[in-house]
Amino acid sequence: MSFILITGNATLDLVNCVAHYPHEDEELRALEQWSDLGGNAATMARVLAAHRHRCDWVGVVANDSDGDKILATLKAHQVGVEHADCQVGASPVSYITVNQQNGSRTIVHYRDLPELAAEAFMEIEVERYDWLHFEGRNVAALGEMLQFARERVVDQPLSLEIEKVRDGLEDLIPLVDVVLFSRAYAQVQGFNDAVSFLQDRQATHGALWMTCTWGEQGAWAIDHDGAIFHEPALVTPVVMDTVGAGDVFNAGLVHALATGQPLEQALQYAVQLAGRKVQQQGFQSVGL
């Protein structure tokens, strides 16, 4: 298996499962409550480690009890945390409401913590890794990190998740090999389907692999030659919990590509893995 470095956010998720989404000023009893590791990068690292990859996470946590809990959970899932940057502040916490009727998740996120500095990333011997993945945040520092990595790796792939709109983020695409877009991002750019969005982005940024998830419609990918692949969403009798489904997709894609699967098969595996995740609460089974 591969040695993978995942750069980005880690949070403590506090989840309330409710019978329906609450109305304003309503008092509603939670059916279940649990806490778990969250954050795009940390969830990816957890899933990749479950696929028996050696995986290190790099990001910022606070030197508080929540930070201790985040690091302990990563370690418990066999994710390396030697590059974690502990800072003064409050560790990121996501307060999540899961609607039992449809599995939707509504997130209120709080953080009082600096983002990862480029200087901290540059202390890592990135040449050791077989794959480097980056969450698209803190664009100025991320650009320095990507440039640093690109100058030091030989043929190791670099992948970038672009989930939210952040000024200058797409300017970093020429530094990576694989880009993972979200439906929300494509829609903000004015696109109503993944195919036209991916074709437009490849025309803008050149021939590289890109994917775009599209919820209940599955996901699409485009290869170097402009060929489009589509994998329909897994048919699920009940959607239980969509928290982290996008991160599970991303991890499934990186896993499949890192183990030599072609893009079309990697897309299929990633969609199926995300489909299995939404049928359960949390990440405790189906190999997650």
Side-chain angles (χ1 to χ4, degrees):
M1 289 297 183
S2 299
F3 190 14
I4 302 174
L5 182 67
I6 307 289
T7 302
N9 204 20
T11 72
L12 181 65
D13 284 355
L14 300 178
V15 185
N16 284 308
C17 181
V18 295
H20 65 268
Y21 188 76
H23 310 295
E24 187 171 358
D25 210 28
E26 179 182 6
E27 292 187 16
L28 183 64
R29 185 183 295 271
L31 302 175
E32 293 183 70
Q33 183 182 78
W34 66 90
S35 64
D36 204 349
L37 176 71
N40 295 22
T43 302
M44 275 192 70
R46 171 183 181 168
V47 176
L48 284 165
H51 282 73
R52 304 197 181 281
H53 295 281
R54 185 180 171 194
C55 203
D56 284 349
W57 171 81
V58 56
V60 180
V61 294
N63 54 356
D64 60 8
S65 60
D66 287 341
D68 293 342
K69 197 174 295 184
I70 289 169
L71 294 179
T73 305
L74 283 165
K75 290 178 185 178
H77 289 285
Q78 310 303 313
V79 176
V81 296
E82 64 178 293
H83 304 305
D85 186 12
C86 294
Q87 298 277 350
V88 175
S91 289
V93 179
S94 291
Y95 301 88
I96 303 175
T97 301
V98 173
N99 181 355
Q100 194 182 58
Q101 289 181 342
N102 57 14
S104 70
R105 84 288 185 275
T106 303
I107 302 173
V108 176
H109 183 67
Y110 177 78
R111 65 178 290 132
D112 180 19
L113 199 63
E115 293 280 358
L116 181 69
E119 292 77 14
F121 181 85
M122 291 176 185
E123 295 178 1
I124 301 171
E125 191 179 349
V126 296
E127 301 92 329
R128 298 189 302 146
Y129 295 92
D130 302 309
W131 190 295
L132 293 88
H133 176 82
F134 299 83
E135 182 181 344
R137 56 189 305 117
N138 193 21
V139 175
L142 179 58
E144 295 182 54
M145 297 178 208
L146 286 169
Q147 189 65 52
F148 174 83
R150 180 53 72 196
E151 290 172 356
R152 283 159 179 77
V153 301
V154 179
D155 57 1
Q156 300 98 310
L158 307 183
S159 55
L160 172 66
E161 178 195 21
I162 298 183
E163 180 190 25
K164 299 180 176 69
V165 176
R166 292 183 168 97
D167 289 343
L169 190 51
E170 283 205 31
D171 296 338
L172 305 181
I173 288 178
L175 294 171
V176 303
D177 305 289
V178 182
V179 186
L180 301 91
F181 290 104
S182 68
R183 173 171 62 178
Y185 183 86
Q187 290 176 327
V188 169
Q189 306 306 312
F191 291 86
N192 294 317
D193 67 280
V195 173
S196 58
F197 171 72
L198 290 172
Q199 289 173 335
D200 179 84
R201 285 310 181 262
Q202 190 172 84
T204 301
H205 298 294
L208 69 161
W209 288 358
M210 301 179 184
T211 67
C212 185
T213 53
W214 212 270
E216 65 281 355
Q217 295 182 39
W220 279 259
I222 190 168
D223 70 8
H224 295 109
D225 298 320
I228 294 286
F229 306 108
H230 173 234
E231 179 64 23
L234 191 69
V235 177
T236 57
V238 178
V239 176
M240 293 288 296
D241 175 14
T242 58
V243 175
D247 308 325
V248 171
F249 170 90
N250 292 347
L253 188 86
V254 170
H255 159 73
L257 294 176
T259 52
Q261 297 183 41
L263 181 59
E264 185 174 13
Q265 289 182 16
L267 182 72
Q268 181 182 47
Y269 180 77
V271 169
Q272 291 178 351
L273 190 67
R276 287 161 55 197
K277 189 268 163 273
V278 303
Q279 295 180 65
Q280 65 167 55
Q281 290 182 352
F283 301 89
Q284 297 308 313
S285 62
V286 297
L288 300 179

